[in-house]
Amino acid sequence: MLKSIRFAGCVLAATLMVAGTMSAADTDDKGKINDRLQNSGTVMKEILGVPDDIPQKFLDKARCVIVLPNVVKGAFIVGASYGRGAMVCRTRPDFTGPWGPPAMYQLEEGSVGFQIGGQATDFVLLVMNDHGMRSLLDSKVKLGGDASVAAGPTGRNAEAATDIQMNAEILTYSRARGLFAGVSLDGASLRPDNDANAMLYGAGVTAHTIVTGKAPTTPDSAHLLDTTLTQASPHLKSA
């Protein structure tokens, strides 16, 4: 009985600790948002610089790219990933324009089981069609439910891509401890971080406003992300 009480106490303490950490993460400022954009650019540049990176044909077909740097899993309780990053989409209604300004986004993922320690992981998501992009603009989206998702193929595996990968609305990749690979985020949730968007661009500016081309110009902190994507894939290739 005493052991059960002690164990429950440990779980409660760990839960409060992680809840406190996530509450602190909710308190954002413009400096942190700009740092996040700079980190997103660094992650994208580094990932596209490895030999087995995102296949060119998939990057060229992507309407949007989402970069979530340093997503950390909680420790000791029901596993939870909590991360923030940016989504950059091609401009114009048919996505044939240059990459536009970034909209800030937030990832939430739950998994059952106790974990010890935490590990920072970078995620890159490719949004492959109009429906996938539009589903992300205004509300929380459950990956694998509201939008079809698959682990993305890498470099040499591009030609062996499965039908699931070819037809997925969103392809997902991760980098942890230097290893880059396709990863499943089925069950995770992604939503606009509109508090951060308003702080970055001004009151009332949402992800929808930004992606549809009605937001201010791209902030300086997103310069590396913008130039990296422009150099890697300047034009949409739908065929």
Side-chain angles (χ1 to χ4, degrees):
M1 178 68 176
L2 182 59
K3 288 183 178 179
S4 298
I5 293 173
R6 286 176 177 171
F7 179 74
C10 290
V11 172
L12 176 61
T15 302
L16 293 173
M17 179 183 67
V18 174
T21 300
M22 292 178 72
S23 294
D26 281 334
T27 305
D28 229 337
D29 60 42
K30 196 168 182 178
K32 290 179 181 178
I33 297 167
N34 283 316
D35 287 345
R36 198 174 304 136
L37 284 171
Q38 291 172 344
N39 290 338
S40 295
T42 299
V43 167
M44 198 72 223
K45 186 175 180 65
E46 290 176 352
I47 284 176
L48 291 178
V50 301
D52 284 337
D53 66 346
I54 299 169
Q56 188 67 44
K57 71 175 184 179
F58 288 100
L59 185 59
D60 286 342
K61 291 179 180 179
R63 272 62 171 172
C64 307
V65 174
I66 302 169
V67 186
L68 301 155
N70 299 316
V71 177
V72 180
K73 278 188 174 292
F76 299 108
I77 62 167
V78 174
S81 293
Y82 180 85
R84 285 172 161 176
M87 180 171 81
V88 182
C89 297
R90 301 182 195 270
T91 55
R92 299 178 188 162
D94 59 358
F95 303 101
T96 58
W99 295 98
M104 307 310 293
Y105 271 76
Q106 186 166 307
L107 176 76
E108 299 163 350
E109 180 204 359
S111 60
V112 177
F114 289 91
Q115 301 174 27
I116 297 177
Q119 179 179 332
T121 304
D122 303 316
F123 290 103
V124 173
L125 289 70
L126 304 185
V127 185
M128 302 304 296
N129 60 28
D130 298 13
H131 179 267
M133 184 276 290
R134 299 191 192 287
S135 66
L136 290 167
L137 289 185
D138 297 304
S139 60
K140 186 175 182 176
V141 170
K142 185 173 182 180
L143 303 180
D146 303 313
S148 61
V149 64
T154 58
R156 68 189 65 181
N157 299 320
E159 298 306 322
T162 65
D163 288 341
I164 293 175
Q165 290 170 322
M166 294 294 292
N167 295 322
E169 292 176 312
I170 299 175
L171 296 175
T172 56
Y173 296 87
S174 73
R175 182 182 66 168
R177 296 177 181 174
L179 178 64
F180 178 69
V183 65
S184 174
L185 283 178
D186 202 342
S189 295
L190 193 65
R191 65 176 176 85
D193 190 352
N194 281 328
D195 288 341
N197 287 321
M199 191 167 291
L200 185 64
Y201 293 104
V205 178
T206 65
H208 191 283
T209 309
I210 296 164
V211 172
T212 55
K214 301 172 185 176
T217 57
T218 301
D220 291 342
S221 55
H223 176 73
L224 179 58
L225 181 58
D226 179 67
T227 56
T228 298
L229 289 172
T230 299
Q231 291 170 1
S233 179
H235 305 293
L236 177 72
K237 297 180 181 179
S238 56

